[in-house]
Amino acid sequence: MSSFVSLEEVYKRYRMGEVEVNALDGATFSIERGEFAAIVGPSGAGKSTVLNILGGMDTSDGGRVVVDGQNVHSFSRSQLIGYRRHDIGFVFQFYNLMQNLTAIENVELATQISRKPIPPSIVMERVGLAQRVNNFPSQLSGGEQQRVSIARALAKNPKLLLCDEPTGALDYVTGKEVLKLLQDTCREQGMTVIVITHNLAISPMADRIIKMKNGKVSEIVQNDRIVPVEDIEW
């Protein structure tokens, strides 16, 4: 049986003047359905490029990218739009909330473009913000704003949740709360979650750790002893 997510010899090249940069240089890995995977590595390792390609925000120059049996690498521009709209949930480091909309209105935006959305009130309760639905982003803490962004992603009922440094703008305690929410979402809802981070300390909470360096996958670790977020120190 094929993996839920797989990259096979994926390349991505950028040209800077006369210099060609290999952002991805034959990256290969797979992730199973319902796993919590961490893609880790230093700045410039290729993590964000992987996330952008998996999310349909960028295209590869070679190789094969498969998500739930779909060859994303072969998608047309219109197919990529539909893929991003219906299949992928994004959580970004800096929240990207609409400041003139309330928390629940931000979540409702996502449901308007989804085939089978989850009611916003339900996801707001899941992320622990049932009492903050009518607050504007400026009235919320950083951790609460990130929870709204997670709720917005979950309300689409996506196949795959992609998280780009989701704790990068948060303090230690709040960061652990957000990671626990992501881990619980994976375990309780069976959702496949991929987090990219430079923070190796969160590796023990992941089912699979994919280490990247210089555009290549340097190591893949299958973690058989998952550590709850509450017990992780960094």
Side-chain angles (χ1 to χ4, degrees), residues 111-127:
T111 65
Q112 294 172 11
I113 62 170
S114 305
R115 288 195 187 105
K116 297 179 181 179
I118 300 172
S121 58
I122 291 178
V123 290
M124 288 296 282
E125 185 171 354
R126 283 182 187 171
V127 302

Side-chain angles (χ1 to χ4, degrees), residues 15-232:
R15 182 163 292 280
M16 301 177 65
E18 297 183 358
V19 178
E20 187 173 78
V21 177
N22 287 321
L24 291 180
D25 191 10
T28 299
F29 65 81
S30 62
I31 296 168
E32 302 305 320
R33 186 186 298 271
E35 282 191 334
F36 189 109
I39 301 178
V40 300
S43 178
K47 306 185 302 297
S48 293
T49 304
V50 165
L51 193 84
N52 290 340
I53 289 173
L54 280 175
M57 294 186 290
D58 202 351
T59 56
S60 59
D61 293 323
R64 184 173 167 85
V65 181
V66 178
V67 177
D68 194 22
Q70 303 177 94
N71 185 4
V72 179
H73 176 69
S74 67
F75 279 179
S76 65
R77 184 175 180 181
S78 61
Q79 285 176 312
L80 282 173
I81 292 172
Y83 171 73
R84 289 194 300 267
R85 179 176 295 172
H86 303 299
D87 294 345
I88 304 298
F90 295 102
V91 178
F92 300 101
Q93 179 176 351
F94 295 109
Y95 327 134
N96 291 348
L97 300 177
M98 301 291 289
Q99 296 298 310
N100 61 333
L101 299 179
T102 64
I104 199 163
E105 287 171 344
N106 268 279
V107 176
E108 287 170 346
L109 271 182
T111 65
Q112 294 172 11
I113 62 170
S114 305
R115 288 195 187 105
K116 297 179 181 179
I118 300 172
S121 58
I122 291 178
V123 290
M124 288 296 282
E125 185 171 354
R126 283 182 187 171
V127 302
L129 291 176
Q131 306 304 314
R132 305 285 270 163
V133 294
N134 294 317
N135 289 92
F136 290 93
S138 62
Q139 298 170 318
L140 302 174
S141 68
E144 288 172 332
Q145 289 185 66
Q146 190 62 293
R147 284 173 178 267
V148 174
S149 75
I150 293 171
R152 178 182 57 193
L154 295 179
K156 292 174 61 180
N157 201 12
K159 294 179 179 179
L160 177 63
L161 186 63
L162 301 176
C163 308
D164 184 1
E165 298 279 8
T167 64
L170 304 175
D171 62 68
Y172 172 78
V173 174
T174 307
K176 290 185 75 170
E177 291 174 352
V178 166
L179 287 174
K180 184 178 187 309
L181 174 58
L182 293 172
Q183 190 179 51
D184 290 347
T185 296
C186 177
R187 302 289 177 247
E188 295 170 7
Q189 299 179 41
M191 185 173 293
T192 307
V193 178
I194 301 177
V195 174
I196 70 164
T197 181
H198 65 277
N199 187 358
L200 286 169
I202 77 167
S203 297
M205 68 175 283
D207 298 294
R208 191 181 302 259
I209 303 102
I210 298 161
K211 299 180 181 180
M212 296 195 66
K213 185 178 181 181
N214 298 328
K216 299 177 181 288
V217 174
S218 59
E219 185 181 5
I220 299 174
V221 178
Q222 187 69 40
N223 186 10
D224 297 322
R225 299 182 65 183
I226 307 300
V227 177
V229 176
E230 302 94 308
D231 298 335
I232 294 177

